[in-house]
Amino acid sequence: MKRILTILCALAIVMAGSATALAAEPAEGGQSASYYPISVEEYTYGDFDELRINKTYQLSLSDDPSLIPTGDFTRNGRHYYLLDMTRKDEVGVDIQTHTETVTQASDTNSLEAILQRLDAEMEVTTEDGYVGVLRLDHTSVQVTTDGYATKTSTLTASRSYPNLSEADTSLIPKSIEDKGKTLTLGDVKWSESMDVDGEGNPVTRYTATASYTGTASSRYATGYTVSASYTGEVSKANCAVVTYTAIFGSEKAPEESKTPDGDEKHDPDPGQTENPSGTETPDTVKEPVDLSGLKRPVIIGVVVLALRR
């Protein structure tokens, strides 16, 4: 029974040592950028053509400039570090696309005539203070009819009927067709002339001039309304912004040298003296030996010995 308890205690010690080692490992992490640059410029500076990078940020007055990333970084084999940070207060211009629709009355629905009457451009000031010049969008022009009315017109026509034997209206047609419309007899005027028959006797002949009347109705538009859209950019120059420029200088990034077997070769400790014979000199400074990795094998060995007993 004592042996079993001893084994369980040894296993508990092993598990506790492993958990402690995991908790001691630091978490990897880096500073994340709070703002993104609006432009990044690479250039050379000075007589030695030093490579530099300018990162430009635009912030509002309420933004915190300390959140601008200024840490070192490596790019294309060079190590970049912050040299300076400049600030410039300026007035920003907010630009937006704006559309205005206008309407006006027209007495015609001819698109050609309407386009000649519309202005090609118009100046506009919006309710929130944006100003600009808008241009006519020809494809947006629309014409609608206000309403319709009916008008009636009087039609007239005349006909002449000569060489009548008598001045009798029964000899005259009571209606006629004129330009697709039916007209009725309204008035008749008579004229007479003397003539002789085949035997030489005098004969009176009559000519009737008849007037015909009628009506025609037509439907027409009472008026038209034209709508057109003007589109363009409007701007408002009252947005205060602050421009920050982070200037980074650079140097060649250090290269890590490696031994032929692939392990990294480190420079000897300044306090350590190399001995070609391989023996340590009395002044050699030894690094402390980390025995944490041996904890588990030693304890496991103790458990094994306990089991053999």
Side-chain angles (χ1 to χ4, degrees), residues 46-118:
D47 298 335
F48 298 100
D49 292 338
E50 175 193 357
L51 292 178
R52 289 189 176 183
I53 290 180
N54 287 359
K55 295 186 178 182
T56 303
Y57 301 83
Q58 277 195 345
L59 279 64
S60 66
L61 295 178
S62 60
D63 292 331
D64 184 4
S66 66
L67 299 180
I68 295 176
T70 57
D72 295 1
F73 60 92
T74 301
R75 183 171 181 174
N76 295 330
R78 296 189 67 82
H79 176 75
Y80 287 86
Y81 51 89
L82 182 67
L83 287 177
D84 201 357
M85 176 79 74
T86 63
R87 167 179 172 152
K88 181 181 179 182
D89 297 334
E90 54 190 350
V91 176
V93 178
D94 186 18
I95 300 176
Q96 298 181 358
T97 301
H98 184 72
T99 299
E100 287 275 346
T101 300
V102 298
T103 58
Q104 64 183 38
S106 175
D107 58 357
T108 179
N109 61 351
S110 171
L111 187 59
E112 181 179 358
I114 290 172
L115 290 176
Q116 293 178 354
R117 299 176 185 179
L118 291 173

Side-chain angles (χ1 to χ4, degrees), residues 33-265:
S34 298
Y35 301 115
Y36 291 95
I38 62 172
S39 67
V40 177
E41 176 188 8
E42 292 188 65
Y43 63 98
T44 57
Y45 178 82
D47 298 335
F48 298 100
D49 292 338
E50 175 193 357
L51 292 178
R52 289 189 176 183
I53 290 180
N54 287 359
K55 295 186 178 182
T56 303
Y57 301 83
Q58 277 195 345
L59 279 64
S60 66
L61 295 178
S62 60
D63 292 331
D64 184 4
S66 66
L67 299 180
I68 295 176
T70 57
D72 295 1
F73 60 92
T74 301
R75 183 171 181 174
N76 295 330
R78 296 189 67 82
H79 176 75
Y80 287 86
Y81 51 89
L82 182 67
L83 287 177
D84 201 357
M85 176 79 74
T86 63
R87 167 179 172 152
K88 181 181 179 182
D89 297 334
E90 54 190 350
V91 176
V93 178
D94 186 18
I95 300 176
Q96 298 181 358
T97 301
H98 184 72
T99 299
E100 287 275 346
T101 300
V102 298
T103 58
Q104 64 183 38
S106 175
D107 58 357
T108 179
N109 61 351
S110 171
L111 187 59
E112 181 179 358
I114 290 172
L115 290 176
Q116 293 178 354
R117 299 176 185 179
L118 291 173
D119 296 329
E121 296 180 349
M122 66 177 296
E123 296 182 358
V124 64
T125 300
T126 64
E127 295 180 355
D128 45 2
Y130 288 83
V131 297
V133 177
L134 309 181
R135 290 174 175 80
L136 174 64
D137 180 6
H138 295 81
T139 62
S140 68
V141 179
Q142 295 183 352
V143 183
T144 58
T145 304
D146 298 336
Y148 293 93
T150 302
K151 65 178 180 180
T152 302
S153 58
T154 301
L155 304 177
T156 60
S158 62
R159 296 289 187 271
S160 178
Y161 303 101
N163 201 26
L164 298 178
S165 60
E166 297 180 5
D168 188 356
T169 57
S170 62
L171 302 176
I172 301 172
K174 301 300 184 289
S175 64
I176 61 172
E177 292 290 328
D178 184 72
K179 298 179 181 180
K181 300 293 182 180
T182 300
L183 306 182
T184 58
L185 179 63
D187 187 22
V188 179
K189 293 182 178 180
W190 299 92
S191 63
E192 58 182 44
S193 61
M194 298 302 294
D195 198 0
V196 294
D197 57 12
E199 297 178 354
N201 299 319
V203 178
T204 303
R205 296 295 181 183
Y206 298 90
T207 300
T209 303
S211 297
Y212 294 87
T213 61
T215 59
S217 298
S218 61
R219 190 168 178 256
Y220 66 96
T222 57
Y224 303 94
T225 298
V226 177
S227 64
S229 296
Y230 290 78
T231 303
E233 290 185 344
V234 293
S235 60
K236 183 178 181 181
N238 62 352
C239 304
V241 296
V242 183
T243 299
Y244 292 89
T245 302
I247 304 172
F248 292 88
S250 71
E251 61 186 2
K252 187 176 180 181
E255 296 181 357
E256 295 181 352
S257 60
K258 295 185 177 181
T259 59
D261 58 358
D263 296 334
E264 294 185 1
K265 181 179 181 181

